[in-house]
Amino acid sequence: MQSLELLVFEAGGTRFATPLSDLARVVASAQAPPAGALDLGLLAGGQQASGEACLVVARWPDATVRIDRVNQVVRVSSGHLHQLPGYIREHCRLPFIWGLAELETEAIIVVDLPRLCADGLAAQQASGEGDRQPQRGP
Amino acid sequence: MSQETAAPQGSDVLGAFAAQARVQGQKAAAEAWQLMTFLVAGTRFAVRVDAVRIVAPMPRVAAVPGTPPWLLGVANHRGEIVPVVDLARLLGLPGARAETSPFVLIALCDTVPTGIGCSIDALLDIVTVPADALQPPIPTLQGPLARFAQGTVHLGADLVTLLHLGRLADVGAEA
């Protein structure tokens, strides 16, 4: 059975996970995030990240996403990865929510990081912030 | 083969069908429905037992960002990912506290293979009532509850609304 390594992290009060293969790097930084950094907490309808920034830099497209903190790295077998059920997909307005990973005691939302970044950058450009993109993390 | 048991021919076929339909109609009138009754936000509701997959302790539910407030999230039930709705909130009932609902009732839905989980506060009983005891929904019923009301039935001193939870699959994001 195939397996996947996931980075588990928090943003906007929710736990998320994303495949390590989609990440260029993770940066824990006391510095302010770079201009144009996407905020996953806000994108997911939660709270904006505050205090010290923690950043994940996508492998593609070239974008930096601000999160609250990193929790762990886990290896999950494909049998414990589920795409979002169709009924939920119909009602979910966030296309970057890919599905769920079953960990020992909980299910964690898996985000499609390339999709999140592509959509976030497109939204920034549409709102006139695009001239600040693309940005790489520190 | 004797002549009495030979298959009917021509118009006899229609007659035989009509007779069969009458018999089936009489049987239907005499049919009984098994109803499961349960509490949601202090109100007693009923569903047909054959429309329910299972009632179980509420599993851990993972909230999915970007979904309507009545959609609690998803739960793992025996290896299947099942959507779970806050039934009280969806029905527009006051005093809903879905986070504390101790049970999930997984309703069968034609278009959702796993069924759809509904948060309920308590499973009360399973009763058998004659099919003709079911009355139309109360005409003054309004709001979200009217959408799911299949009828009403007197159970003891209670006038209980029979819910058609299969309609959960048709709820739009605007609900």
Side-chain angles (χ1 to χ4, degrees), chain B residues 74-146:
Chain B
V74 289
N76 183 345
H77 175 71
R78 297 177 180 172
E80 289 184 320
I81 300 298
V82 179
V84 180
V85 303
D86 179 345
L87 192 56
R89 194 160 191 166
L90 188 59
L91 296 178
L93 303 176
R97 297 194 315 275
E99 292 79 8
T100 61
S101 293
F103 298 102
V104 62
L105 181 158
I106 301 181
L108 296 171
C109 290
D110 290 341
T111 55
V112 183
T114 59
I116 297 178
C118 305
S119 59
I120 65 172
D121 296 332
L123 179 62
L124 296 180
D125 51 16
I126 293 176
V127 295
T128 303
V129 299
D132 54 11
L134 182 67
Q135 304 295 315
I138 300 170
T140 53
L141 206 59
Q142 291 183 337
L145 183 54

Side-chain angles (χ1 to χ4, degrees), chain A residues 18-19 22 58-61 96 111-121:
Chain A
T18 197
D22 286 341
R59 191 177 297 278
W60 184 91
F96 61 79
V111 297
D112 178 347
L113 193 63
R115 178 73 189 261
L116 183 156
C117 293
D119 290 354
L121 293 177

Side-chain angles (χ1 to χ4, degrees), chain A residues 70-137:
Chain A
V70 169
N71 292 143
Q72 61 189 126
V73 174
V74 293
R75 180 175 288 277
V76 178
S77 69
S78 56
H80 290 89
L81 283 172
H82 307 273
Q83 275 193 293
L84 217 52
Y87 183 75
I88 299 283
R89 169 62 64 206
E90 284 175 23
H91 292 97
C92 182
R93 59 180 171 78
L94 302 175
F96 61 79
I97 303 288
W98 180 85
L100 298 139
E102 285 178 63
L103 300 191
E104 285 181 3
T105 57
E106 63 179 321
I108 297 203
I109 303 295
V110 178
V111 297
D112 178 347
L113 193 63
R115 178 73 189 261
L116 183 156
C117 293
D119 290 354
L121 293 177
Q124 279 186 343
Q125 287 176 345
S127 65
E129 298 176 53
D131 54 339
R132 298 210 303 255
Q133 285 290 335
Q135 292 280 343
R136 295 298 281 182

Side-chain angles (χ1 to χ4, degrees), chain A residues 24-45:
Chain A
R25 61 186 182 277
V26 179
V27 182
S29 171
Q31 298 173 353
L38 304 170
D39 190 311
L40 178 53
L42 280 182
L43 290 171

